[in-house]
Amino acid sequence: MAILKIARMGHPVLAQQAAPVANPADPALRKLVSDMVETMIDANGAGLAAPQVHVPLRVVVFQAPAERSDPGLSEDEKFDRTAPLTVLVNPVIEVMGPEREAGWEGCLSVPGLRGLVERSAYIRYSGYDLDGKKVERTARGFHARVVQHECDHLDGILYPSRMSDLGNLIFETEAKHWMKNE
Ligand code: NI
């Protein structure tokens, strides 16, 4: 295992389309993914996409723990708002409804900043795990947000490009002025 260097906004690898993985069960992918997980946890991130570690392939890792969801959710409501540590190879997202939600995002490739981003509130996604088995889930809330954010990296999109008002792009040291009720 190794902690990988994270590409920062401006590096060309973050602006390009990542290539599909020919064989999700390729043993060589396991080393990359285990290093990505170690790098994500070390950096205290909720997700990481392969282009962020200079590998332009369609691979993401993420987690959506219950504490990142809205507080006070019932067990039923948590069902598709949380996800364990997940690896997705060649992910595809399907938007399940017109509802959109604004939420604060950060990105390990855009260190020190937070931005308010509107995303689809309800999605279904699919992809492959490292055994080549298909993964399919529905997602809402933070879970839906992190998957959309990570998959955007595979298309060369960073969250500031998704913002409708750059007045809501702030330094995380100033976030206390904006998130008093969170
Ligand atoms: Ni990111």
Side-chain angles (χ1 to χ4, degrees):
M1 301 247 286
I3 292 173
L4 304 172
K5 185 177 181 191
I6 297 174
R8 302 205 301 174
M9 182 165 62
H11 193 292
V13 74
L14 294 173
Q16 70 185 66
Q17 283 279 329
V21 171
N23 173 16
D26 183 345
L29 210 52
R30 288 185 181 269
K31 163 82 174 136
L32 169 67
V33 166
S34 82
D35 289 347
M36 284 173 63
V37 169
E38 189 178 12
T39 302
M40 176 183 82
I41 290 169
D42 175 70
N44 200 26
L48 193 68
Q52 292 183 275
V53 291
H54 306 85
V55 177
L57 290 174
R58 302 189 82 80
V59 179
V60 299
V61 299
F62 61 87
Q63 50 193 344
E67 60 269 23
R68 299 291 286 257
S69 305
D70 307 325
L73 290 177
S74 69
E75 285 305 309
D76 272 3
E77 287 169 323
K78 278 181 194 160
F79 165 70
D80 54 9
R81 286 179 162 77
T82 59
L85 181 58
T86 299
V87 180
L88 272 188
V89 179
N90 297 340
V92 175
I93 290 175
E94 183 186 355
V95 174
M96 299 297 283
E99 310 84 37
R100 295 178 62 84
E101 279 172 0
W104 289 96
E105 298 190 11
C107 180
L108 296 177
S109 294
V110 190
L113 296 176
R114 291 281 182 273
L116 193 63
V117 186
E118 203 178 89
R119 303 260 187 201
S120 293
Y122 182 29
I123 63 169
R124 176 156 57 196
Y125 64 86
S126 61
Y128 295 88
D129 69 15
L130 295 177
D131 296 320
K133 282 197 326 201
K134 190 151 194 183
V135 177
E136 269 186 299
R137 289 187 192 139
T138 56
R140 300 176 201 260
F142 177 76
H143 181 191
R145 177 170 301 281
V146 71
V147 171
Q148 289 172 87
H149 175 118
E150 297 313 324
C151 290
D152 264 357
H153 279 296
L154 307 181
D155 294 325
I157 298 168
L158 299 178
Y159 78 79
S161 306
R162 293 289 192 195
M163 293 179 63
S164 53
D165 178 359
L166 287 175
N168 294 323
L169 184 64
I170 65 171
F171 284 105
E172 62 190 1
T173 49
E174 306 303 326
K176 58 185 182 288
H177 302 296
W178 295 68
M179 299 168 204
K180 285 173 185 155
N181 300 321
E182 293 193 10

